[in-house]
Amino acid sequence: MDDKDFKRVLEDGEKLLAYFESDLTRDGRFGCSYLLVTDKRAVVCDADLKVEVSVNLKDIRSVSVKDYIGNAELMVTLKDESVVILTRFSRALRKRFGDASRLLENLAFLRRVRREQVYEEEEVTAKSGTLRSILRFVLPYKWVLAAGMVAGVCGIFLGLLPPYFMKMLIDDVILGRKEELLAQVILAIIATQATSSLLGVIRSYSLSYVSLKAMYSIRIHLFKHIMRFQPSILDRYEAGRLISRITDDVGRVNWFLSWGLEQLLRSSISLISVSAMILLLEPRLSLIALIPMPILGLGVFLFRRKARWVYHYEWRRWADVSALLVDVIPGFPTVKAYSMEDHEAKKLKLKLSDVIKASLRSTKLSLQFFPMLGFVISAGTAIIWWLGGLEVLNGTLTLGTLSAFISYVSQFYGPIWTLVSMVEPMKRSSTAAERIYNLMRMRPEIRDTEDSVDLKIKGRITFENVSFGYLPYTYVLKNISFDIKPGEKIGIVGPTGSGKTTLAKLILRFYDVDEGRILIDGVDIRRIKLRSLRKQIGLVSQEPRLFNDTIANNIRYGKPDASLDEIIAAAKIAAAHDFILQKPLCYDTPCGESGSRLSGGERQRVAIARTVISDPQILVLDEATSSVDTITEDAIKKSLDEIAKGRTTIIIAHRLSTVKDADRLIVIDKGRLVEMGTHEELLRKGGLYAKLWNTQFLEQPAEAKV
Amino acid sequence: MTSIREFVKTSLRFADPRKVRFEYDRFHDSLNFYVDGMVYKNVEPVKPFPLSAPYYVILRVESGKDLCVIRDIRGLDESSRKALEYVLDRKYFIPVIRRVLDITYTGEFFVCKVETDKGVRTFKLRGRRRSVFKMDDKIVLFDMDENIYLIESYEKLDPKSKEELMKLL
Ligand SMILES: Nc1ncnc2c1ncn2[C@@H]1O[C@H](COP(=O)(O)OP(=O)(O)OP(=O)(O)O)[C@@H](O)[C@H]1O
Ligand SMILES: [Mg+2]
């Protein structure tokens, strides 16, 4: 439907700004309805464009989206406090109506309208694109692939010879008593076998080579591609799913490249050439060989229709089992702490018995099908023996021809069998290829543009009316503005969940702001090269992750070319040097998987060292010392102060003693900046900060006095 | 603003190995360190990077404070180096594996028989994840009793040893 149709809903001189199609009607049935947003009104109409609600923009006080189960509503509160429900929509359209709500809000408050609308990339797949994108990785090895294919095809043609030699052996040598030919025929048979074994080796090796190389490039390519994304990709794709793209899905495509493709080609070629041989050898009998074909065809058709669901069902049962294991095994200590071993075992039992049921179903299905197939084929062969036998007895057919024919017929059914059993894995591997292709086509939302600049950062940070939310319509930060001077030391405090970490992530541009802008040294961060930005901002995050490497290498992560002296110095700044020297291998001690062999506080200190070694111009410490005792924290503070001179430092902390001597404190509550000033100023003001301080001071007198 | 490079200068003191001297005092079992006409008795040498940079040594005094850093102890004179290494070798007993004679797997742990620079030794390793650690071409093995064995270069091992090691890697 294009804009024209909406004209009749509009009043004179009214301009349509946007329309949003919903998938539910206002009375809660599946169907279509529209929300039109004009420069004057918000209008809701049904599929026939009958107006159901109309609200004047200037009457709107606030806009909200309420998230229910299975559906959600966009509603407005008017200035007279009445609430009007505009549209209902299923959760699939949350993002679309999140945009709608923001647009309405903007219009209602006469703010600037950004007319770009971002819809989620739909997961459409173009088949040809999928195949091409995979073949792209095979292309560099096309000659090896060709060699393999040629060897394979030659092998097939060679395979046609032995039955023919057999016929000669029986008819000419044995029955025809030409003894002089015996040695030659036997030699020919041996030579053919030897050559085809050799060709087989060439074929298998070159195909494995190509598929391994291709898998390697696909995996590396995928990995690099994923690494280009902003961290928020983990909000959309769980880590597990991304990992399985690189491992499982690529493996399934591998099946196609290393085995499927070749089998497909081989089976088709041998089917054609064997058919030709059969026809040439004995046209009458070949008709009999074809009798089972329609039955087979019907069988395959029926089987495929049914098997698809049965097999998919079975895979999903397996997926459930591994999902459970992936969830529970890393959470093992929690299971233990709650003594829930039996509970978890019960869950697993349930899932596994589902697997058994599903597997039995698919077994039953193939038991219905494959023996039937086998029976039809052997029946066909028996009939050939019967009719052929009669002809041999009648002397119209030689015994040699009959046995060659039978042997060709078995070669004829072989490829059919292969092709039939390949149907399912083919499907699986093409689905995997589609998934890989979809991921490869996704573009990172946050990326450098052509006019991105390298900036030598001095350290001024400006927030201008910044609003941001992870979900489209819920704000986590709302209208935040402040200006941090180069070299200033800023503390950010606020209740848990108030948006402090989010603010830090925005500075590193892990997410883009929804409204307003963030400037560094007066330049919008969306115009700064990502690398340049992130290299000069050091973030110690709330839950620092170390890698499974030595402590030294983890520190070096912040500066790959760091000298040993620098590693030690960085550790000293983070007050980590002494504990590291206590470890058996000091700086060469492995940290364990994601740092699991270090304590929480030790991990935090290594993370600080990793950050300070890179000499960042802006230092952001998000609860960086929360797991460290206060005496150690003090030591870190002292040395940090020394190196932080001249660098902008942002310290996020719950423990107010950590930040109290900052130049300025920013207090955030429910995503809004509520107070800003020095410790003394804020105490005098008696607002939220004073309240927080007093609670902590009363509860932890010893600490607060530090 | 202090860069990390400048911070190195203020936080670490470096001693030139050619201008310092060590003496081992057998009676007190202590190491004495002579620098700039001063003598520090009973210094404790520490290798902060015992595997990746075994010649980098920090000297600590009894109070647990770092006294100074010697970046490469191979620059010391003969007798000083002997004195220092006598103390260090006792502290860091990390046999270097020359040949891997045999590795068997019992289903629970690996039993390794190796020839090291300190003699032949058989030890047990728990699974691969916790007890085998690769650093570039080096391989470090932690046995079940937390002893440490080092393979200095995997590539330079003889083929038989490499084949045995494949069971483990
Ligand atoms: N990746 C995410 N997706 C969706 N919502 C998120 C995400 N990360 C955080 N949130 C939500 O955003 C809000 C602010 O989170 P944030 O981590 O910024 O709080 P915080 O002030 O750092 O809290 P704390 O003091 O506990 O660390 C919270 O309500 C949180 O649930
Ligand atoms: Mg936080």
Side-chain angles (χ1 to χ4, degrees), chain A residues 565 572 577-578 587-588 593 615 645 647, chain B residues 1-2 48 51-52 56 60 66 71 129:
Chain A
D565 310 334
K572 284 195 167 186
H577 180 66
D578 285 307
Y587 284 83
D588 284 337
E593 242 169 84
D615 269 326
K645 267 184 222 125
R647 297 171 208 244
Chain B
M1 181 169 34
T2 335
L51 303 171
S52 56
Y56 191 104
R60 311 193 101 197
D66 289 2
R71 282 190 177 119
R129 293 214 147 215

mmCIF file with all atom_site columns, all heavy atoms in Angstrom, chain A residues 565 572 577-578 587-588 593 615 645 647, chain B residues 1-2 48 51-52 56 60 66 71 129:
data_model
loop_
_atom_site.group_PDB
_atom_site.id
_atom_site.type_symbol
_atom_site.label_atom_id
_atom_site.label_alt_id
_atom_site.label_comp_id
_atom_site.label_asym_id
_atom_site.label_entity_id
_atom_site.label_seq_id
_atom_site.pdbx_PDB_ins_code
_atom_site.Cartn_x
_atom_site.Cartn_y
_atom_site.Cartn_z
_atom_site.occupancy
_atom_site.B_iso_or_equiv
_atom_site.pdbx_formal_charge
_atom_site.auth_seq_id
_atom_site.auth_comp_id
_atom_site.auth_asym_id
_atom_site.auth_atom_id
_atom_site.pdbx_PDB_model_num
ATOM 1   N N   . ASP A 1 565 ? 59.833 -4.312  31.627 1.00 0.00 ? 565 ASP A N   1
ATOM 2   C CA  . ASP A 1 565 ? 59.823 -3.259  32.650 1.00 0.00 ? 565 ASP A CA  1
ATOM 3   C C   . ASP A 1 565 ? 58.453 -2.603  32.724 1.00 0.00 ? 565 ASP A C   1
ATOM 4   O O   . ASP A 1 565 ? 57.940 -2.313  33.800 1.00 0.00 ? 565 ASP A O   1
ATOM 5   C CB  . ASP A 1 565 ? 60.867 -2.179  32.325 1.00 0.00 ? 565 ASP A CB  1
ATOM 6   C CG  . ASP A 1 565 ? 62.218 -2.788  32.022 1.00 0.00 ? 565 ASP A CG  1
ATOM 7   O OD1 . ASP A 1 565 ? 62.467 -3.892  32.520 1.00 0.00 ? 565 ASP A OD1 1
ATOM 8   O OD2 . ASP A 1 565 ? 62.995 -2.162  31.283 1.00 0.00 ? 565 ASP A OD2 1
ATOM 9   N N   . LYS A 1 572 ? 52.626 -2.534  39.097 1.00 0.00 ? 572 LYS A N   1
ATOM 10  C CA  . LYS A 1 572 ? 52.843 -1.762  40.333 1.00 0.00 ? 572 LYS A CA  1
ATOM 11  C C   . LYS A 1 572 ? 51.777 -0.693  40.487 1.00 0.00 ? 572 LYS A C   1
ATOM 12  O O   . LYS A 1 572 ? 51.302 -0.447  41.589 1.00 0.00 ? 572 LYS A O   1
ATOM 13  C CB  . LYS A 1 572 ? 54.238 -1.132  40.319 1.00 0.00 ? 572 LYS A CB  1
ATOM 14  C CG  . LYS A 1 572 ? 55.312 -2.152  40.613 1.00 0.00 ? 572 LYS A CG  1
ATOM 15  C CD  . LYS A 1 572 ? 56.627 -1.506  40.965 1.00 0.00 ? 572 LYS A CD  1
ATOM 16  C CE  . LYS A 1 572 ? 57.547 -2.584  41.548 1.00 0.00 ? 572 LYS A CE  1
ATOM 17  N NZ  . LYS A 1 572 ? 58.791 -2.047  42.059 1.00 0.00 ? 572 LYS A NZ  1
ATOM 18  N N   . HIS A 1 577 ? 51.740 -6.073  41.682 1.00 0.00 ? 577 HIS A N   1
ATOM 19  C CA  . HIS A 1 577 ? 53.086 -6.639  41.614 1.00 0.00 ? 577 HIS A CA  1
ATOM 20  C C   . HIS A 1 577 ? 53.336 -7.627  42.750 1.00 0.00 ? 577 HIS A C   1
ATOM 21  O O   . HIS A 1 577 ? 53.819 -8.734  42.516 1.00 0.00 ? 577 HIS A O   1
ATOM 22  C CB  . HIS A 1 577 ? 54.089 -5.488  41.657 1.00 0.00 ? 577 HIS A CB  1
ATOM 23  C CG  . HIS A 1 577 ? 55.516 -5.925  41.596 1.00 0.00 ? 577 HIS A CG  1
ATOM 24  N ND1 . HIS A 1 577 ? 56.054 -6.524  40.482 1.00 0.00 ? 577 HIS A ND1 1
ATOM 25  C CD2 . HIS A 1 577 ? 56.515 -5.829  42.506 1.00 0.00 ? 577 HIS A CD2 1
ATOM 26  C CE1 . HIS A 1 577 ? 57.333 -6.795  40.714 1.00 0.00 ? 577 HIS A CE1 1
ATOM 27  N NE2 . HIS A 1 577 ? 57.646 -6.381  41.929 1.00 0.00 ? 577 HIS A NE2 1
ATOM 28  N N   . ASP A 1 578 ? 52.975 -7.228  43.956 1.00 0.00 ? 578 ASP A N   1
ATOM 29  C CA  . ASP A 1 578 ? 53.310 -8.083  45.095 1.00 0.00 ? 578 ASP A CA  1
ATOM 30  C C   . ASP A 1 578 ? 52.569 -9.404  45.064 1.00 0.00 ? 578 ASP A C   1
ATOM 31  O O   . ASP A 1 578 ? 53.148 -10.450 45.294 1.00 0.00 ? 578 ASP A O   1
ATOM 32  C CB  . ASP A 1 578 ? 53.035 -7.346  46.411 1.00 0.00 ? 578 ASP A CB  1
ATOM 33  C CG  . ASP A 1 578 ? 54.116 -6.300  46.663 1.00 0.00 ? 578 ASP A CG  1
ATOM 34  O OD1 . ASP A 1 578 ? 55.300 -6.680  46.631 1.00 0.00 ? 578 ASP A OD1 1
ATOM 35  O OD2 . ASP A 1 578 ? 53.778 -5.128  46.854 1.00 0.00 ? 578 ASP A OD2 1
ATOM 36  N N   . TYR A 1 587 ? 54.912 -13.693 36.974 1.00 0.00 ? 587 TYR A N   1
ATOM 37  C CA  . TYR A 1 587 ? 54.180 -13.147 35.827 1.00 0.00 ? 587 TYR A CA  1
ATOM 38  C C   . TYR A 1 587 ? 53.895 -14.207 34.764 1.00 0.00 ? 587 TYR A C   1
ATOM 39  O O   . TYR A 1 587 ? 53.096 -13.985 33.871 1.00 0.00 ? 587 TYR A O   1
ATOM 40  C CB  . TYR A 1 587 ? 54.957 -11.990 35.198 1.00 0.00 ? 587 TYR A CB  1
ATOM 41  C CG  . TYR A 1 587 ? 54.874 -10.718 35.997 1.00 0.00 ? 587 TYR A CG  1
ATOM 42  C CD1 . TYR A 1 587 ? 55.715 -10.495 37.085 1.00 0.00 ? 587 TYR A CD1 1
ATOM 43  C CD2 . TYR A 1 587 ? 53.939 -9.739  35.676 1.00 0.00 ? 587 TYR A CD2 1
ATOM 44  C CE1 . TYR A 1 587 ? 55.635 -9.336  37.825 1.00 0.00 ? 587 TYR A CE1 1
ATOM 45  C CE2 . TYR A 1 587 ? 53.850 -8.570  36.414 1.00 0.00 ? 587 TYR A CE2 1
ATOM 46  C CZ  . TYR A 1 587 ? 54.705 -8.377  37.490 1.00 0.00 ? 587 TYR A CZ  1
ATOM 47  O OH  . TYR A 1 587 ? 54.611 -7.226  38.222 1.00 0.00 ? 587 TYR A OH  1
ATOM 48  N N   . ASP A 1 588 ? 54.580 -15.339 34.831 1.00 0.00 ? 588 ASP A N   1
ATOM 49  C CA  . ASP A 1 588 ? 54.331 -16.394 33.852 1.00 0.00 ? 588 ASP A CA  1
ATOM 50  C C   . ASP A 1 588 ? 53.244 -17.359 34.307 1.00 0.00 ? 588 ASP A C   1
ATOM 51  O O   . ASP A 1 588 ? 53.045 -18.411 33.704 1.00 0.00 ? 588 ASP A O   1
ATOM 52  C CB  . ASP A 1 588 ? 55.622 -17.180 33.577 1.00 0.00 ? 588 ASP A CB  1
ATOM 53  C CG  . ASP A 1 588 ? 56.573 -16.395 32.693 1.00 0.00 ? 588 ASP A CG  1
ATOM 54  O OD1 . ASP A 1 588 ? 56.080 -15.503 31.974 1.00 0.00 ? 588 ASP A OD1 1
ATOM 55  O OD2 . ASP A 1 588 ? 57.780 -16.668 32.732 1.00 0.00 ? 588 ASP A OD2 1
ATOM 56  N N   . GLU A 1 593 ? 40.955 -20.389 32.625 1.00 0.00 ? 593 GLU A N   1
ATOM 57  C CA  . GLU A 1 593 ? 39.898 -19.967 31.714 1.00 0.00 ? 593 GLU A CA  1
ATOM 58  C C   . GLU A 1 593 ? 39.251 -18.698 32.220 1.00 0.00 ? 593 GLU A C   1
ATOM 59  O O   . GLU A 1 593 ? 38.779 -18.656 33.351 1.00 0.00 ? 593 GLU A O   1
ATOM 60  C CB  . GLU A 1 593 ? 38.851 -21.067 31.631 1.00 0.00 ? 593 GLU A CB  1
ATOM 61  C CG  . GLU A 1 593 ? 38.689 -21.642 30.239 1.00 0.00 ? 593 GLU A CG  1
ATOM 62  C CD  . GLU A 1 593 ? 37.850 -22.884 30.279 1.00 0.00 ? 593 GLU A CD  1
ATOM 63  O OE1 . GLU A 1 593 ? 36.628 -22.759 30.262 1.00 0.00 ? 593 GLU A OE1 1
ATOM 64  O OE2 . GLU A 1 593 ? 38.430 -23.991 30.354 1.00 0.00 ? 593 GLU A OE2 1
ATOM 65  N N   . ASP A 1 615 ? 48.599 3.520   28.191 1.00 0.00 ? 615 ASP A N   1
ATOM 66  C CA  . ASP A 1 615 ? 48.678 4.970   28.238 1.00 0.00 ? 615 ASP A CA  1
ATOM 67  C C   . ASP A 1 615 ? 47.453 5.659   27.659 1.00 0.00 ? 615 ASP A C   1
ATOM 68  O O   . ASP A 1 615 ? 47.569 6.521   26.784 1.00 0.00 ? 615 ASP A O   1
ATOM 69  C CB  . ASP A 1 615 ? 49.913 5.454   27.459 1.00 0.00 ? 615 ASP A CB  1
ATOM 70  C CG  . ASP A 1 615 ? 51.110 5.553   28.373 1.00 0.00 ? 615 ASP A CG  1
ATOM 71  O OD1 . ASP A 1 615 ? 50.915 5.885   29.560 1.00 0.00 ? 615 ASP A OD1 1
ATOM 72  O OD2 . ASP A 1 615 ? 52.226 5.297   27.898 1.00 0.00 ? 615 ASP A OD2 1
ATOM 73  N N   . LYS A 1 645 ? 47.581 12.222  36.251 1.00 0.00 ? 645 LYS A N   1
ATOM 74  C CA  . LYS A 1 645 ? 47.742 13.675  36.096 1.00 0.00 ? 645 LYS A CA  1
ATOM 75  C C   . LYS A 1 645 ? 47.708 14.024  34.618 1.00 0.00 ? 645 LYS A C   1
ATOM 76  O O   . LYS A 1 645 ? 48.477 13.495  33.823 1.00 0.00 ? 645 LYS A O   1
ATOM 77  C CB  . LYS A 1 645 ? 49.061 14.117  36.709 1.00 0.00 ? 645 LYS A CB  1
ATOM 78  C CG  . LYS A 1 645 ? 48.896 14.561  38.146 1.00 0.00 ? 645 LYS A CG  1
ATOM 79  C CD  . LYS A 1 645 ? 50.213 15.097  38.684 1.00 0.00 ? 645 LYS A CD  1
ATOM 80  C CE  . LYS A 1 645 ? 50.410 14.587  40.115 1.00 0.00 ? 645 LYS A CE  1
ATOM 81  N NZ  . LYS A 1 645 ? 51.669 13.895  40.315 1.00 0.00 ? 645 LYS A NZ  1
ATOM 82  N N   . ARG A 1 647 ? 45.419 13.333  32.579 1.00 0.00 ? 647 ARG A N   1
ATOM 83  C CA  . ARG A 1 647 ? 44.493 12.494  31.820 1.00 0.00 ? 647 ARG A CA  1
ATOM 84  C C   . ARG A 1 647 ? 43.101 12.658  32.399 1.00 0.00 ? 647 ARG A C   1
ATOM 85  O O   . ARG A 1 647 ? 42.950 12.777  33.610 1.00 0.00 ? 647 ARG A O   1
ATOM 86  C CB  . ARG A 1 647 ? 44.834 11.011  31.976 1.00 0.00 ? 647 ARG A CB  1
ATOM 87  C CG  . ARG A 1 647 ? 46.151 10.628  31.450 1.00 0.00 ? 647 ARG A CG  1
ATOM 88  C CD  . ARG A 1 647 ? 46.431 9.196   31.868 1.00 0.00 ? 647 ARG A CD  1
ATOM 89  N NE  . ARG A 1 647 ? 47.860 9.026   31.977 1.00 0.00 ? 647 ARG A NE  1
ATOM 90  C CZ  . ARG A 1 647 ? 48.568 8.207   31.198 1.00 0.00 ? 647 ARG A CZ  1
ATOM 91  N NH1 . ARG A 1 647 ? 47.957 7.485   30.306 1.00 0.00 ? 647 ARG A NH1 1
ATOM 92  N NH2 . ARG A 1 647 ? 49.866 8.124   31.327 1.00 0.00 ? 647 ARG A NH2 1
ATOM 93  N N   . MET B 2 1   ? 51.494 14.817  32.871 1.00 0.00 ? 1   MET B N   1
ATOM 94  C CA  . MET B 2 1   ? 51.066 13.448  32.639 1.00 0.00 ? 1   MET B CA  1
ATOM 95  C C   . MET B 2 1   ? 52.276 12.519  32.571 1.00 0.00 ? 1   MET B C   1
ATOM 96  O O   . MET B 2 1   ? 53.248 12.798  31.896 1.00 0.00 ? 1   MET B O   1
ATOM 97  C CB  . MET B 2 1   ? 50.309 13.402  31.301 1.00 0.00 ? 1   MET B CB  1
ATOM 98  C CG  . MET B 2 1   ? 49.822 12.046  30.986 1.00 0.00 ? 1   MET B CG  1
ATOM 99  S SD  . MET B 2 1   ? 48.675 12.073  29.612 1.00 0.00 ? 1   MET B SD  1
ATOM 100 C CE  . MET B 2 1   ? 49.290 13.388  28.591 1.00 0.00 ? 1   MET B CE  1
ATOM 101 N N   . THR B 2 2   ? 52.186 11.423  33.304 1.00 0.00 ? 2   THR B N   1
ATOM 102 C CA  . THR B 2 2   ? 53.288 10.453  33.285 1.00 0.00 ? 2   THR B CA  1
ATOM 103 C C   . THR B 2 2   ? 52.902 9.305   32.368 1.00 0.00 ? 2   THR B C   1
ATOM 104 O O   . THR B 2 2   ? 51.903 8.640   32.603 1.00 0.00 ? 2   THR B O   1
ATOM 105 C CB  . THR B 2 2   ? 53.517 9.867   34.691 1.00 0.00 ? 2   THR B CB  1
ATOM 106 O OG1 . THR B 2 2   ? 53.048 10.802  35.650 1.00 0.00 ? 2   THR B OG1 1
ATOM 107 C CG2 . THR B 2 2   ? 54.967 9.558   34.911 1.00 0.00 ? 2   THR B CG2 1
ATOM 108 N N   . PRO B 2 48  ? 60.783 -12.690 37.906 1.00 0.00 ? 48  PRO B N   1
ATOM 109 C CA  . PRO B 2 48  ? 59.364 -12.399 37.662 1.00 0.00 ? 48  PRO B CA  1
ATOM 110 C C   . PRO B 2 48  ? 58.825 -13.150 36.444 1.00 0.00 ? 48  PRO B C   1
ATOM 111 O O   . PRO B 2 48  ? 57.629 -13.411 36.360 1.00 0.00 ? 48  PRO B O   1
ATOM 112 C CB  . PRO B 2 48  ? 59.324 -10.891 37.439 1.00 0.00 ? 48  PRO B CB  1
ATOM 113 C CG  . PRO B 2 48  ? 60.709 -10.489 37.135 1.00 0.00 ? 48  PRO B CG  1
ATOM 114 C CD  . PRO B 2 48  ? 61.617 -11.496 37.755 1.00 0.00 ? 48  PRO B CD  1
ATOM 115 N N   . LEU B 2 51  ? 59.808 -18.342 33.089 1.00 0.00 ? 51  LEU B N   1
ATOM 116 C CA  . LEU B 2 51  ? 59.828 -19.125 31.864 1.00 0.00 ? 51  LEU B CA  1
ATOM 117 C C   . LEU B 2 51  ? 60.082 -18.273 30.629 1.00 0.00 ? 51  LEU B C   1
ATOM 118 O O   . LEU B 2 51  ? 60.886 -18.614 29.778 1.00 0.00 ? 51  LEU B O   1
ATOM 119 C CB  . LEU B 2 51  ? 58.502 -19.860 31.684 1.00 0.00 ? 51  LEU B CB  1
ATOM 120 C CG  . LEU B 2 51  ? 58.106 -20.773 32.846 1.00 0.00 ? 51  LEU B CG  1
ATOM 121 C CD1 . LEU B 2 51  ? 56.701 -21.273 32.660 1.00 0.00 ? 51  LEU B CD1 1
ATOM 122 C CD2 . LEU B 2 51  ? 59.086 -21.929 32.948 1.00 0.00 ? 51  LEU B CD2 1
ATOM 123 N N   . SER B 2 52  ? 59.407 -17.126 30.552 1.00 0.00 ? 52  SER B N   1
ATOM 124 C CA  . SER B 2 52  ? 59.512 -16.368 29.308 1.00 0.00 ? 52  SER B CA  1
ATOM 125 C C   . SER B 2 52  ? 60.754 -15.491 29.275 1.00 0.00 ? 52  SER B C   1
ATOM 126 O O   . SER B 2 52  ? 61.241 -15.152 28.208 1.00 0.00 ? 52  SER B O   1
ATOM 127 C CB  . SER B 2 52  ? 58.249 -15.532 29.077 1.00 0.00 ? 52  SER B CB  1
ATOM 128 O OG  . SER B 2 52  ? 58.001 -14.693 30.171 1.00 0.00 ? 52  SER B OG  1
ATOM 129 N N   . TYR B 2 56  ? 65.872 -12.301 33.666 1.00 0.00 ? 56  TYR B N   1
ATOM 130 C CA  . TYR B 2 56  ? 65.404 -11.035 34.226 1.00 0.00 ? 56  TYR B CA  1
ATOM 131 C C   . TYR B 2 56  ? 65.180 -11.269 35.714 1.00 0.00 ? 56  TYR B C   1
ATOM 132 O O   . TYR B 2 56  ? 64.409 -12.149 36.100 1.00 0.00 ? 56  TYR B O   1
ATOM 133 C CB  . TYR B 2 56  ? 64.101 -10.670 33.521 1.00 0.00 ? 56  TYR B CB  1
ATOM 134 C CG  . TYR B 2 56  ? 63.587 -9.273  33.768 1.00 0.00 ? 56  TYR B CG  1
ATOM 135 C CD1 . TYR B 2 56  ? 63.712 -8.290  32.794 1.00 0.00 ? 56  TYR B CD1 1
ATOM 136 C CD2 . TYR B 2 56  ? 62.923 -8.944  34.944 1.00 0.00 ? 56  TYR B CD2 1
ATOM 137 C CE1 . TYR B 2 56  ? 63.202 -7.013  32.982 1.00 0.00 ? 56  TYR B CE1 1
ATOM 138 C CE2 . TYR B 2 56  ? 62.424 -7.673  35.154 1.00 0.00 ? 56  TYR B CE2 1
ATOM 139 C CZ  . TYR B 2 56  ? 62.562 -6.714  34.162 1.00 0.00 ? 56  TYR B CZ  1
ATOM 140 O OH  . TYR B 2 56  ? 62.057 -5.454  34.347 1.00 0.00 ? 56  TYR B OH  1
ATOM 141 N N   . ARG B 2 60  ? 64.977 -8.363  45.934 1.00 0.00 ? 60  ARG B N   1
ATOM 142 C CA  . ARG B 2 60  ? 64.109 -7.805  46.968 1.00 0.00 ? 60  ARG B CA  1
ATOM 143 C C   . ARG B 2 60  ? 64.865 -7.849  48.293 1.00 0.00 ? 60  ARG B C   1
ATOM 144 O O   . ARG B 2 60  ? 65.709 -8.715  48.509 1.00 0.00 ? 60  ARG B O   1
ATOM 145 C CB  . ARG B 2 60  ? 62.823 -8.602  47.117 1.00 0.00 ? 60  ARG B CB  1
ATOM 146 C CG  . ARG B 2 60  ? 62.130 -8.860  45.802 1.00 0.00 ? 60  ARG B CG  1
ATOM 147 C CD  . ARG B 2 60  ? 60.723 -9.357  46.045 1.00 0.00 ? 60  ARG B CD  1
ATOM 148 N NE  . ARG B 2 60  ? 59.763 -8.295  45.855 1.00 0.00 ? 60  ARG B NE  1
ATOM 149 C CZ  . ARG B 2 60  ? 58.516 -8.323  46.295 1.00 0.00 ? 60  ARG B CZ  1
ATOM 150 N NH1 . ARG B 2 60  ? 58.090 -9.357  47.007 1.00 0.00 ? 60  ARG B NH1 1
ATOM 151 N NH2 . ARG B 2 60  ? 57.697 -7.320  46.063 1.00 0.00 ? 60  ARG B NH2 1
ATOM 152 N N   . ASP B 2 66  ? 60.998 -4.108  46.567 1.00 0.00 ? 66  ASP B N   1
ATOM 153 C CA  . ASP B 2 66  ? 61.912 -4.305  45.449 1.00 0.00 ? 66  ASP B CA  1
ATOM 154 C C   . ASP B 2 66  ? 63.106 -3.373  45.624 1.00 0.00 ? 66  ASP B C   1
ATOM 155 O O   . ASP B 2 66  ? 62.939 -2.179  45.868 1.00 0.00 ? 66  ASP B O   1
ATOM 156 C CB  . ASP B 2 66  ? 61.233 -3.952  44.123 1.00 0.00 ? 66  ASP B CB  1
ATOM 157 C CG  . ASP B 2 66  ? 60.179 -4.983  43.756 1.00 0.00 ? 66  ASP B CG  1
ATOM 158 O OD1 . ASP B 2 66  ? 59.984 -5.916  44.548 1.00 0.00 ? 66  ASP B OD1 1
ATOM 159 O OD2 . ASP B 2 66  ? 59.566 -4.832  42.695 1.00 0.00 ? 66  ASP B OD2 1
ATOM 160 N N   . ARG B 2 71  ? 68.284 -6.551  34.397 1.00 0.00 ? 71  ARG B N   1
ATOM 161 C CA  . ARG B 2 71  ? 67.520 -6.991  33.219 1.00 0.00 ? 71  ARG B CA  1
ATOM 162 C C   . ARG B 2 71  ? 68.073 -8.282  32.617 1.00 0.00 ? 71  ARG B C   1
ATOM 163 O O   . ARG B 2 71  ? 67.322 -9.081  32.070 1.00 0.00 ? 71  ARG B O   1
ATOM 164 C CB  . ARG B 2 71  ? 67.526 -5.902  32.161 1.00 0.00 ? 71  ARG B CB  1
ATOM 165 C CG  . ARG B 2 71  ? 66.543 -4.775  32.452 1.00 0.00 ? 71  ARG B CG  1
ATOM 166 C CD  . ARG B 2 71  ? 66.481 -3.914  31.225 1.00 0.00 ? 71  ARG B CD  1
ATOM 167 N NE  . ARG B 2 71  ? 65.543 -2.831  31.313 1.00 0.00 ? 71  ARG B NE  1
ATOM 168 C CZ  . ARG B 2 71  ? 65.881 -1.554  31.231 1.00 0.00 ? 71  ARG B CZ  1
ATOM 169 N NH1 . ARG B 2 71  ? 67.150 -1.218  31.112 1.00 0.00 ? 71  ARG B NH1 1
ATOM 170 N NH2 . ARG B 2 71  ? 64.968 -0.627  31.259 1.00 0.00 ? 71  ARG B NH2 1
ATOM 171 N N   . ARG B 2 129 ? 43.869 -29.740 29.979 1.00 0.00 ? 129 ARG B N   1
ATOM 172 C CA  . ARG B 2 129 ? 43.535 -28.335 30.139 1.00 0.00 ? 129 ARG B CA  1
ATOM 173 C C   . ARG B 2 129 ? 44.274 -27.658 31.285 1.00 0.00 ? 129 ARG B C   1
ATOM 174 O O   . ARG B 2 129 ? 44.715 -26.536 31.174 1.00 0.00 ? 129 ARG B O   1
ATOM 175 C CB  . ARG B 2 129 ? 42.038 -28.180 30.378 1.00 0.00 ? 129 ARG B CB  1
ATOM 176 C CG  . ARG B 2 129 ? 41.269 -28.572 29.167 1.00 0.00 ? 129 ARG B CG  1
ATOM 177 C CD  . ARG B 2 129 ? 40.059 -27.713 29.054 1.00 0.00 ? 129 ARG B CD  1
ATOM 178 N NE  . ARG B 2 129 ? 39.756 -27.493 27.670 1.00 0.00 ? 129 ARG B NE  1
ATOM 179 C CZ  . ARG B 2 129 ? 39.258 -26.366 27.195 1.00 0.00 ? 129 ARG B CZ  1
ATOM 180 N NH1 . ARG B 2 129 ? 39.037 -25.362 28.006 1.00 0.00 ? 129 ARG B NH1 1
ATOM 181 N NH2 . ARG B 2 129 ? 38.996 -26.233 25.932 1.00 0.00 ? 129 ARG B NH2 1
#
